[in-house]
Amino acid sequence: MATNNQPLFSHTWTKGHAIVIGGSIAGILAAQVLSDYFARVTVIDRDTFPDAPAHRKGAPQSHHAHGLLIRGHMIIEQLFPGITAELRANGASSARNVVPLALVSPAGKLRSEKVNDEFIAFSRYFMEWHIRQRLAKQEGVRFITNCEVTELLTTADRQRVTGICMRQRGADDRIETLQADLVVDASGRHSKTPEWLVRMGYAAPPEENINSDIGYASRFYARPADFPAEWEGIIINGRPPHNPRAGLILPIEHNRWHVTMGGFAGHYPPTDEAGFLQWARDLADPSIYEAIRVAEPITPIRGYRTPENRLRHFERLDRWPQRFIAMGDSVCAFNPIYGQGMTTSALGALALDESLHQQLLRPRSDFERQFQRRIAQTVAAPWLIATGEDLRWEGIRLRGARPRLGLRLLHNYMNLVLQQAREDLVVSQAYANVLHMLDTPESLMHPRVLIRVFAGTLGRLFGNAPSNPNDPGPFALSPEAIANLQARKGFHNV
Ligand SMILES: Cc1cc2nc3c(=O)[nH]c(=O)nc-3n(C[C@H](O)[C@H](O)[C@H](O)COP(=O)(O)OP(=O)(O)OC[C@H]3O[C@@H](n4cnc5c(N)ncnc54)[C@H](O)[C@@H]3O)c2cc1C
């Protein structure tokens, strides 16, 4: 191991050892990157990992629909080449020439087209399990499970992290230590890093909290064999300020649907049969209700409440220990309804790769702080999207955060974008690219989009446009499909 205060990789790096705290999405992706730079990578998780794709205690969020954005999928394929084919071969849902996802925005259903490329979909636990299996095959990577990291080890002057303290869960609660050249915190939303920093004599990071009081209720269904092929999945957003109910159906492996109802600002979807269906019925579009009424439920309904968007500004701290970094939800945890968490973790893994590569070429003593600055950049756009949208609701509480200047103006412009996206494929694709993190939110201000949005708005104002802005527009299922489903005997007839 390098001597005190030498920058990472300044010598003998090929013999190095990296520890990752947390073996969930952020931890797996980080460990995959680290395995290119360190001889040994140890992933420690307090959970025991299942032998086959299944939910696990340490990631209870997998009971709720997890959409992987296109950008996230691209990065995961880049880090684990061939993983998409592997997921498909093991049962992931796969289709061509389909509308992958119908999107019913607060302004109504957005225009969408069938795509010729393969659309592949899977549950979170299915993907997590498969990428963990791939990671386990990497030379030098090992997992320590059922073991909780309780503390960071440091040099006497506390300038540098030298390893971790961990408690084996179970019979004897044995405490052990493990030395490392780099420790990565990927322990999620409830990370202890702020407390550890304070105990080591550092300041706690400034935090922004935007409390949206989100509630989820979810269940798995068998996909009805002859369900109309109008889309593969669907998202129905809430309609501020009056309808806080959202819902989604994601197609997943083995011909199933993962169905989640969501509620904003303290409106929590019920977890009983009748209440769950009534919530679906009260969505702004009837398509999810009609779909699940005829789909066979295969699990009970599970609830989840997650109060806040939280961003820890580690990059703003004046002092930061060497050989320690944090990423994933431990830095920034979003209101999950926008589906950004896994993709932001994937962007963090790319940032880690870039930082380590540069460090290898030109070692610098502030590698860790540079990395935290990069992570802060990767979370900026998704944070803006999630919190900007949340702040449309009454009753959202802010701590350490201020609504950005011009937010009302931005909301008004986004309303016009969505109105236009109902009719205009160029605008709806530009919007989808932002949601999928393929483009920045600023791209919606590009003249190519701006001109169409303002021309469409003027057209609607002066009566030349095909639709009235207050008209909810067509539903996500065609009238024929809805009539057809309504005629069927359902599993539920509430
Ligand atoms: C209800 C819900 C729905 C979501 N939906 C989506 C979605 O649609 N799309 C999307 O991209 N994201 C979604 N997310 C976010 C997504 O789950 C996370 O962003 C993603 O899992 C990455 O998080 P992570 O790996 O940083 O942390 P986590 O997934 O929370 O994992 C942390 C890991 O660290 C372990 N751990 C914690 N503390 C310790 C310790 N002291 N010692 C050892 N191990 C420890 C835990 O056991 C766990 O395995 C959703 C989240 C929630 C809550």
Side-chain angles (χ1 to χ4, degrees):
M1 208 173 296
T3 54
N4 217 0
N5 295 338
Q6 269 183 319
L8 183 69
F9 295 158
S10 60
H11 73 175
T12 64
W13 63 274
T14 46
K15 293 199 183 75
H17 177 214
I19 289 177
V20 180
I21 309 171
S24 186
I25 304 292
I28 297 170
L29 300 179
Q32 177 73 356
V33 167
L34 291 164
S35 69
D36 281 344
Y37 296 88
F38 290 83
R40 290 182 301 127
V41 178
T42 306
V43 180
I44 307 173
D45 203 292
R46 61 182 176 200
D47 216 357
T48 312
F49 297 132
D51 296 333
H55 302 291
R56 60 185 182 86
K57 217 167 143 212
Q61 67 264 44
S62 69
H63 289 277
H64 304 279
H66 264 64
L68 179 61
L69 306 180
I70 295 174
R71 183 80 195 277
H73 191 155
M74 287 162 70
I75 298 171
I76 288 172
E77 177 64 36
Q78 182 184 335
L79 294 176
F80 295 95
I83 192 74
T84 306
E86 208 174 308
L87 294 169
R88 185 199 307 108
N90 290 320
S93 153
S94 149
R96 278 182 194 279
N97 201 23
V98 291
V99 172
L101 202 60
L103 179 54
V104 182
S105 77
K109 180 186 164 235
L110 303 192
R111 186 141 173 229
S112 54
E113 254 190 352
K114 291 185 175 180
V115 295
N116 280 326
D117 292 346
E118 182 185 25
F119 167 66
I120 181 151
F122 33 78
S123 67
R124 178 225 158 92
Y125 65 79
F126 186 80
M127 180 192 75
E128 184 186 312
W129 188 86
H130 280 90
I131 57 175
R132 193 180 301 110
Q133 296 306 107
R134 281 284 296 271
L135 175 65
K137 289 187 188 140
Q138 289 285 57
E139 210 186 314
V141 172
R142 73 166 173 148
F143 291 89
I144 300 178
T145 56
N146 203 25
C147 201
E148 182 170 11
V149 173
T150 53
E151 210 71 62
L152 298 174
L153 297 173
T154 62
T155 48
D157 61 5
R158 309 259 167 121
Q159 301 269 16
R160 180 160 67 90
V161 169
T162 56
I164 54 96
C165 250
M166 57 189 174
R167 184 176 56 229
Q168 190 72 43
R169 290 173 136 192
D172 54 357
D173 272 3
R174 207 173 52 244
I175 301 275
E176 285 176 40
T177 60
L178 196 59
Q179 303 288 320
D181 298 276
L182 181 69
V183 175
V184 179
D185 177 21
S187 64
R189 191 182 272 265
H190 304 292
S191 160
K192 296 276 189 301
T193 288
E195 292 162 40
W196 290 338
L197 286 173
V198 170
R199 282 214 286 275
M200 284 157 53
Y202 293 82
E207 275 190 19
E208 285 186 70
N209 284 276
I210 298 191
N211 191 322
S212 319
D213 281 325
I214 295 294
Y216 267 30
S218 305
R219 137 183 266 190
F220 292 84
Y221 289 82
R223 179 194 174 120
D226 53 352
F227 191 77
E230 295 184 1
W231 35 256
E232 289 291 295
I234 178 170
I235 297 180
I236 301 177
N237 290 144
R239 293 211 170 159
H242 301 302
N243 190 345
R245 297 172 199 83
L248 73 149
I249 297 180
L250 291 185
I252 59 163
E253 62 277 2
H254 310 311
N255 249 332
R256 286 180 295 150
W257 277 345
H258 201 168
V259 177
T260 288
M261 303 298 157
F264 286 90
H267 296 89
Y268 303 126
T271 52
D272 63 290
E273 293 283 339
F276 187 78
L277 276 171
Q278 189 57 48
W279 190 274
R281 205 173 200 170
D282 292 338
L283 293 171
D285 179 299
S287 305
I288 291 185
Y289 170 71
E290 296 300 345
I292 63 173
R293 197 182 61 78
V294 298
E296 182 187 359
I298 49 182
T299 63
I301 302 164
R302 295 260 312 209
Y304 194 96
R305 290 183 187 182
T306 171
E308 61 192 13
N309 296 281
R310 188 183 54 212
L311 175 54
R312 292 182 173 131
H313 287 287
F314 292 128
E315 82 287 358
R316 290 192 192 157
L317 288 177
D318 290 336
R319 289 174 58 238
W320 182 263
Q322 284 195 309
R323 310 299 180 89
F324 178 68
I325 55 176
M327 55 195 293
D329 281 16
S330 73
V331 176
C332 185
F334 306 98
N335 168 355
I337 217 133
Y338 311 102
Q340 301 168 312
M342 298 190 294
T343 297
T344 307
S345 294
L347 286 167
L350 286 192
L352 180 61
D353 192 25
E354 279 167 33
S355 296
L356 289 171
H357 186 71
Q358 281 182 8
Q359 185 68 4
L360 202 55
L361 298 178
R362 233 170 299 113
R364 36 189 303 175
S365 55
D366 64 345
F367 156 80
E368 299 78 2
R369 299 181 57 122
Q370 283 289 330
F371 174 74
Q372 294 310 144
R373 278 184 213 127
R374 270 189 194 198
I375 285 289
Q377 284 161 8
T378 64
V379 304
W383 176 260
L384 189 73
I385 293 174
T387 58
E389 282 306 302
D390 280 9
L391 286 168
R392 285 177 183 263
W393 298 94
E394 285 286 319
I396 303 296
R397 298 187 305 281
L398 291 90
R399 195 155 37 89
R402 261 179 297 151
R404 80 181 234 154
L405 273 178
L407 189 65
R408 171 85 45 98
L409 202 64
L410 202 66
H411 284 162
N412 289 340
Y413 178 66
M414 284 311 297
N415 293 345
L416 299 181
V417 168
L418 293 179
Q419 283 292 337
Q420 184 64 15
R422 288 167 30 161
E423 314 289 345
D424 184 331
L425 201 55
V426 172
V427 176
S428 88
Q429 277 176 346
Y431 179 67
N433 284 347
V434 172
L435 291 187
H436 280 285
M437 293 201 208
L438 296 166
D439 239 328
T440 60
E442 291 77 33
S443 64
L444 292 175
M445 306 285 182
H446 188 278
R448 184 175 56 95
V449 178
L450 205 76
I451 288 169
R452 300 182 86 97
V453 169
F454 283 121
T457 304
L458 289 176
R460 277 189 296 278
L461 276 176
F462 296 106
N464 303 324
S467 71
N468 165 353
N470 298 319
D471 166 9
F475 293 137
L477 279 170
S478 62
E480 303 75 50
I482 290 182
N484 201 312
L485 289 169
Q486 280 174 341
R488 289 195 209 175
K489 189 168 170 351
F491 280 87
H492 315 272
N493 280 310
V494 292

